[in-house]
Amino acid sequence: KKNMLKIKAIKIKYIYVLLYLTFILFGIPWYWDASTKYIFLGLPIWVIISILCAILTSCLTCFILLQNSKNNE
């Protein structure tokens, strides 16, 4: 049973890393064509996506830290 918990913890850590990499991939606007002119709420769409990715990254970090603090108690 202890080995299963370790394996589960390792899998969860890989999921966190994958989520962080996904947020970095979509949060940095290197894949947008320079001629893209989509505007949403007065801002280019890449700005909105970057802000959303930053918020999601912050939420994920907060979740991970709260989970670790619960496990340490």
Side-chain angles (χ1 to χ4, degrees):
K1 187 174 181 177
K2 203 170 193 180
N3 280 340
M4 293 299 283
L5 290 175
K6 285 183 181 180
I7 291 172
K8 184 178 178 184
I10 290 171
K11 286 182 181 179
I12 290 173
K13 288 179 184 178
Y14 281 124
I15 290 172
Y16 292 155
V17 169
L18 183 64
L19 283 172
Y20 275 115
L21 291 175
T22 302
F23 293 147
I24 289 170
L25 177 70
F26 288 110
I28 299 173
W30 54 38
Y31 57 90
W32 288 95
D33 188 20
S35 64
T36 303
K37 303 268 191 249
Y38 297 115
I39 302 293
F40 183 72
L41 297 174
L43 295 170
I45 195 72
W46 65 266
V47 172
I48 302 294
I49 291 173
S50 294
I51 291 171
L52 286 175
C53 286
I55 291 169
L56 289 173
T57 302
S58 298
C59 291
L60 178 62
T61 303
C62 181
F63 175 77
I64 292 169
L65 292 174
L66 288 174
Q67 288 297 104
N68 284 340
S69 68
K70 284 181 185 178
N71 291 340
N72 289 338
E73 291 178 359

